[in-house]
Amino acid sequence: EPSAAYKKAVECAKTVYEVKVSRQVDCVVCSCFPCEQDIWQTQKPLLTACMLCREGGTVLLLSRCPDLVDDQHPLFCRAAGKTLEDVERSISNAGLREAIDAGALMGLLPFLQSRKIHFVSEPHARKEIEGFGCHYEGNNPKIAIESLAASLPKETVYGVIKSHAGDIVPIFDCE
C-alpha cells in the first residue's frame, strides 16, 4: 500500500527534521554549515533562522561563502531595498535564472525586511552580502558575536543553531 508507506515515511522524517520550540527569540546565531558555499546556499539556513527570530529581532549568520554567485544570481545579489512589487515586476521580463532568483526572494523578502540580518563571512563576499540587504560583520565569528551581544539589551533571548539549519523545520509548541 503506497499511501501507508508514505505516511510511515512522513512520520519518520518528522523525527529527523522537526524541532519543537516554545517561542520565537530576540536573536538567532546560526551556522550555515553545510550550506555555506555561497550566499545563494545560505537562504536555506537563513529561512530557518528567521522563522525562529521574532519580527524586529536580529539574525547572525556564520557562513564562509568562499564562492561568489553574482553572475549566476544577479537579482538575488542585488535585493537590497527591493519590495515584493519590484520582484514581481522583474519576473515579467525575466529569463529562467532571474525567475528562480525572484521565486526565492518572494519567500525571503518579508523576513529580510522585518529582521536585522548580519553575516560573518570571508571578506570577498561582502559586496554580495550587502547587495542582498544584509550587514557584513567581518570574518571573525567570536568578535562578531561579542560585538552583537554588547549592542543588544541584557534581557535579549538568544537561540543558537549549530549546524544543518537548512535541514530543520521549527514547530512551535505553544502549550
Side-chain angles (χ1 to χ4, degrees):
E1 166 87 39
S3 62
Y6 172 79
K7 287 177 183 177
K8 188 169 183 160
V10 167
E11 290 308 312
C12 179
K14 284 181 178 181
T15 67
V16 175
Y17 297 108
E18 287 186 350
V19 176
K20 291 194 186 239
V21 293
S22 60
R23 66 184 179 106
Q24 290 179 307
V25 297
D26 304 316
C27 180
V28 175
V29 178
C30 178
S31 165
C32 290
F33 180 83
C35 301
E36 61 176 4
Q37 195 63 31
D38 53 51
I39 194 168
W40 176 254
Q41 285 191 356
T42 65
Q43 67 180 295
K44 300 169 201 170
L46 173 60
L47 182 60
T48 301
C50 285
M51 290 167 63
L52 291 169
C53 183
R54 67 168 175 76
E55 281 192 38
T58 302
V59 172
L60 178 65
L61 287 177
L62 311 175
S63 181
R64 295 180 321 111
C65 293
D67 295 341
L68 299 178
V69 293
D70 189 29
D71 60 328
Q72 298 166 27
H73 299 285
L75 179 61
F76 192 80
C77 293
R78 294 182 187 91
K82 291 203 183 327
T83 65
L84 289 174
E85 292 77 24
D86 294 335
V87 175
E88 286 176 11
R89 274 193 299 276
S90 70
I91 293 173
S92 62
N93 302 325
L96 179 60
R97 188 168 285 166
E98 291 82 8
I100 290 170
D101 286 4
L105 286 173
M106 295 296 282
L108 285 171
L109 274 179
F111 290 114
L112 293 173
Q113 294 168 347
S114 62
R115 288 148 181 86
K116 297 176 240 22
I117 312 296
H118 301 262
F119 264 83
V120 174
S121 187
E122 294 182 12
H124 70 273
R126 180 179 189 153
K127 182 178 176 188
E128 286 187 0
I129 289 165
E130 291 174 345
F132 186 50
C134 301
H135 305 279
Y136 178 72
E137 298 297 336
N139 65 348
N140 185 318
K142 183 175 190 275
I143 291 172
I145 291 169
E146 289 172 352
S147 175
L148 183 63
S151 73
L152 295 172
K154 288 183 181 184
E155 62 275 0
T156 297
V157 177
Y158 294 89
V160 176
I161 306 172
K162 294 181 181 179
S163 72
H164 292 81
D167 296 334
I168 63 172
V169 178
I171 303 297
F172 292 96
D173 185 14
C174 301
E175 294 177 22

